[in-house]
Amino acid sequence: MILTFFLLSMLVLLADGWTNGWSTMNLFCVYRSSWRDPLGYVRLFGHVLGHDNWEHFLNNMLLLLVVGRHGGKYGSIPLLKGILFTALVTGVLQCILFPNTGLLGASGIVFMLIMLSS
């Protein structure tokens, strides 16, 4: 599961380059928008896959790969549920508490894995 997350995040960053930032801003960065916007629901979960640049990606993924190896003891399905729950909670909190800014990156997932490993 951790390696899949890593590869998906890398594909999202590559897509960011191919689309000149459109994919990250519209699909992988959560910010307050209309509840009628169907992409808003995609962003609530997808923001954990988006990264601003290669440095941001590598910093998050280094920690993810180091700490994430301990998450394997829980199995893929519980880990996926944890990732989805963490993404949803952080996305909703971002929209409520910080309406004028966007959020992207896997820092919340890394923190979840740190808490699981402790």
Side-chain angles (χ1 to χ4, degrees):
M1 177 55 62
I2 298 301
L3 191 55
T4 302
F5 187 89
F6 171 83
L7 293 172
L8 285 173
S9 293
M10 187 172 5
L11 283 174
V12 167
L13 188 58
L14 291 171
D16 179 67
W18 297 329
T19 62
N20 291 324
W22 183 91
S23 63
T24 298
M25 190 60 187
N26 291 290
L27 300 174
F28 302 106
C29 179
V30 68
Y31 47 86
R32 186 181 285 183
S33 63
S34 170
W35 291 108
R36 294 184 198 147
D37 180 11
L39 292 180
Y41 299 99
V42 173
R43 289 189 294 267
L44 277 177
F45 293 97
H47 71 94
V48 296
L49 296 173
H51 291 86
D52 189 39
N53 52 41
W54 282 101
E55 182 181 1
H56 182 209
F57 170 78
L58 291 173
N59 287 329
N60 272 229
M61 292 304 121
L62 175 67
L63 287 170
L64 181 91
L65 292 172
V66 169
V67 178
R69 63 188 178 98
H70 299 295
K73 65 183 173 186
Y74 296 103
S76 294
I77 299 301
L79 203 53
L80 177 61
K81 288 179 183 178
I83 289 171
L84 292 174
F85 179 74
T86 302
L88 178 64
V89 168
T90 56
V92 168
L93 288 175
Q94 175 68 26
C95 292
I96 293 170
L97 299 175
F98 305 101
N100 299 322
T101 60
L103 174 71
L104 71 159
S107 299
I109 304 304
V110 170
F111 182 73
M112 176 202 68
L113 291 169
I114 290 170
M115 296 307 291
L116 283 176
S117 69
S118 63

